[in-house]
Amino acid sequence: MISFCLSVVALVLGYILYSKFVERIFEVDPNRKTPAITMRDDVDYVPMPEWKIFLIQFLNIAGLGPIFGAVAGAMWGPSAFLWIVLGSIFAGGVHDYFSGMLSVKHGGESITEITGRYLGDGMKQFMRAFTILLMIMVGAVFIMGPAKILNDMTGDIATVTTWVWGILIYYVLSTVLPIDKLIGKLYPLFGVALLFMALGLSVIMFTDGYVIPEITLASLTNMRTNAESYPLFPMLFVTIACGAISGFHASQSPMMARCMTNEKQGRRIFYGAMITEGVVALIWAAVSMSFFGGIRELNDTMIAQQGNAAYVVNVISNTMLGKIGGILALLGVVAAPITSGDTAFRSARLIVADFTKSNQSKIMNRLLISLPLFVLGYGLTLIDFGIVWRYFAWTNQTLATIVLWTVTVYLINEHKFYWVSLVPATFMTVVAVSYILVAPEGFSLSTDIAYPVGIVIALVLLIATLMKAYRIKDQKIEYVN
């Protein structure tokens, strides 16, 4: 329990202290007009209150990741606490803040276009395809996840297929309607359900005396069953993405950058939402480690359920919070992925609109872009959920890595303190490269090969970046158009 409490305190202190440091590096200008004011179209560029933007950003990024990912990550034990805390403060918060504020700086541009500005046209073209693929994968994952939970909640009322179509219809509406018409009205309600779930579980953990494992030297070794097939590094750092660092967030931040009315709001909206998500991930990791009697028991349960984290969420919510509380909690768990899935498709629409220069004030243009995306998304729902999730996990962290390198180049160009993003960019490079080499869905190589290759690639990028920083130390360079 001490480790869990200290982890929560560390996240809060990280927000209070480190986010201000990051904000000073960016140098916000509260008097500069934001895209919501200068480019208002009442569809995507819509000024909204800060509290509403925060809730939308939080629910956008807090999908199944900080819940299902934390449940799966808890199989490695208290190491999950350290990754959530350090990842959220020094990687995820930095990633989310700069991806959002760079969008504000460049007229609400999508992350694909921002990447092109700093890493070149070739990377921009790659990122367009890569990010759209990720958005469709997210949409597919966040269709099947909530559909299965709703089916478990309602029994014979409807089939999984029926729920899939119902969610798809909602996704179409939320993707093409103005952001303040549906998303802006529903998200506060979903936010209440999600926060109730997290706070309720944390209170029960304290009052009912659940034993949460402590962080010790021994606990930082592999605790997971079949640890040789699932090494803590890099598996844990990809399993817990949302709640630590997630490239998906960079695709969502530009949507909120188009709604902010003052640059000072960025720290609370982007960095604050990341830290809030980290707290949610901590709670679910702690509950999962303690509910079944320990980490080994959690492993046994997950193996028996073939890795079905939805089963764990269902059992925990109904047992700890009672019938009514369990329903509300599960609604929060359902709302979280749905509110990430709809904005994933909306983000994909905006990315396509950005590079095709399509006028999105006309609803027919929005439909022409959106409908093919939904066809592809539905096609992915026909593939095994576990396979899509595993590829989504690696793709997600690879995107986060690219965004961190983009931020680093921006900071170098601006003669600002670039180490704030260079260090996590280097670390995440090792994670992403090692994972695809080790993972069954990748090359299934041994860690003896994967680790050195990951480290070498990261060091090459690090050295090249430092050489670039040295070359332009005394001069400015022009951005790539």
Side-chain angles (χ1 to χ4, degrees):
M1 186 68 77
I2 294 175
S3 297
F4 169 74
C5 293
L6 289 177
S7 296
V8 174
V9 171
L11 281 178
V12 174
L13 289 175
Y15 171 73
I16 294 172
L17 301 175
Y18 201 68
S19 68
K20 290 182 179 178
F21 172 66
V22 171
E23 183 184 53
R24 284 198 298 272
I25 293 173
F26 184 81
E27 296 179 332
V28 298
D29 182 357
N31 297 316
R32 185 162 46 212
K33 290 184 178 180
T34 63
I37 306 299
T38 61
M39 303 173 65
R40 180 170 183 169
D41 63 3
D42 291 325
V43 176
D44 298 307
Y45 292 87
V46 183
M48 288 197 291
E50 182 181 341
W51 68 268
K52 189 171 286 190
I53 299 174
F54 171 83
L55 276 177
I56 295 174
Q57 175 73 2
F58 169 60
L59 288 167
N60 283 350
I61 65 178
L64 291 176
I67 300 172
F68 282 22
V71 170
M75 297 171 72
W76 279 278
S79 303
F81 293 157
L82 285 179
W83 170 229
I84 291 170
V85 171
L86 297 177
S88 294
I89 296 172
F90 298 108
V94 172
H95 170 279
D96 288 16
Y97 179 78
F98 278 107
S99 62
M101 294 307 295
L102 283 176
S103 183
V104 173
K105 180 181 178 68
H106 295 297
E109 282 186 345
S110 301
I111 191 60
T112 55
E113 309 309 296
I114 294 170
T115 302
R117 282 181 174 273
Y118 299 104
L119 298 185
D121 190 64
M123 180 58 75
K124 178 168 65 176
Q125 302 305 328
F126 168 78
M127 282 289 286
R128 284 171 173 173
F130 188 82
T131 308
I132 290 172
L133 174 62
L134 175 62
M135 292 304 97
I136 295 173
M137 291 175 69
V138 170
V141 167
F142 290 160
I143 290 171
M144 291 306 299
K148 289 179 178 179
I149 295 175
L150 285 169
N151 183 65
D152 291 339
M153 290 173 61
T154 57
D156 297 329
I157 292 178
T159 64
V160 172
T161 302
T162 303
W163 287 115
V164 165
W165 280 105
I167 293 170
L168 270 172
I169 292 171
Y170 166 76
Y171 280 2
V172 172
L173 293 174
S174 60
T175 299
V176 301
L177 290 177
I179 195 167
D180 61 332
K181 300 304 181 186
L182 186 59
I183 291 175
K185 287 182 169 58
L186 290 180
Y187 275 47
L189 299 176
F190 289 156
V192 171
L194 184 59
L195 291 175
F196 172 85
M197 173 270 300
L199 293 174
L201 290 175
S202 60
V203 169
I204 296 299
M205 276 197 301
F206 279 95
T207 58
D208 285 14
Y210 282 85
V211 179
I212 303 172
E214 302 291 350
I215 299 173
T216 63
L217 188 59
S219 73
L220 298 182
T221 59
N222 278 312
M223 302 279 295
R224 199 186 194 281
T225 302
N226 297 326
E228 65 281 355
S229 300
Y230 299 94
L232 186 147
F233 187 90
M235 293 297 187
L236 172 64
F237 301 87
V238 174
T239 301
I240 301 180
C242 297
I245 179 173
S246 167
F248 174 68
H249 298 185
S251 71
Q252 304 301 290
S253 296
M255 282 191 293
M256 297 301 96
R258 301 180 187 208
C259 300
M260 290 167 47
T261 56
N262 193 301
E263 290 188 3
K264 290 290 289 183
Q265 298 170 346
R267 183 175 72 91
R268 295 182 290 271
I269 290 171
F270 299 125
Y271 205 108
M274 178 67 248
I275 294 299
T276 304
E277 186 188 41
V279 173
V280 172
L282 274 178
I283 292 171
W284 272 104
V287 170
S288 302
M289 290 179 204
S290 59
F291 179 82
F292 296 98
I295 300 166
R296 290 297 174 189
E297 290 77 8
L298 170 64
N299 272 265
D300 292 342
T301 301
M302 288 288 283
I303 291 172
Q305 296 298 320
Q306 298 181 328
N308 183 9
Y311 170 83
V312 173
V313 171
N314 192 8
V315 171
I316 290 176
S317 297
N318 281 284
T319 303
M320 293 183 67
L321 297 174
K323 188 159 188 175
I324 295 178
I327 291 174
L328 289 173
L330 284 172
L331 285 175
V333 176
V334 169
I338 288 177
T339 53
S340 290
D342 60 4
T343 50
F345 282 114
R346 190 180 186 97
S347 177
R349 171 177 69 80
L350 294 176
I351 291 170
V352 174
D354 277 356
F355 70 75
T356 60
K357 309 300 181 185
S358 173
N359 182 0
Q360 293 298 283
S361 63
K362 298 178 181 179
I363 191 168
M364 185 54 65
N365 289 350
R366 284 175 257 158
L367 286 171
L368 287 174
I369 293 175
S370 301
L371 292 180
L373 299 174
F374 285 113
V375 171
L376 293 172
Y378 177 73
L380 284 180
T381 67
L382 304 178
I383 302 175
D384 180 70
F385 175 83
I387 294 175
V388 177
W389 179 263
R390 289 197 297 271
Y391 280 106
F392 156 67
W394 174 75
T395 307
N396 183 47
Q397 296 303 67
T398 301
L399 176 58
T401 304
I402 295 172
V403 171
L404 285 171
W405 285 113
T406 302
V407 172
T408 302
V409 173
Y410 157 74
L411 293 174
I412 289 173
N413 290 353
E414 292 291 321
H415 293 254
K416 295 179 178 178
F417 186 73
Y418 54 84
W419 288 95
V420 72
S421 58
L422 179 59
V423 172
T426 304
F427 176 77
M428 290 305 299
T429 300
V430 180
V431 169
V433 173
S434 299
Y435 181 87
I436 199 61
L437 294 177
V438 168
E441 61 270 23
F443 295 93
S444 299
L445 300 177
S446 71
T447 55
D448 293 337
I449 298 174
Y451 290 170
V453 172
I455 292 171
V456 167
I457 292 177
L459 286 176
V460 168
L461 290 174
L462 174 64
I463 293 170
T465 302
L466 291 175
M467 290 176 65
K468 176 183 179 68
Y470 178 78
R471 286 197 304 270
I472 67 171
K473 183 177 180 181
D474 298 318
Q475 61 181 339
K476 290 276 186 179
I477 67 172
E478 294 182 358
Y479 299 134
V480 178
N481 292 321

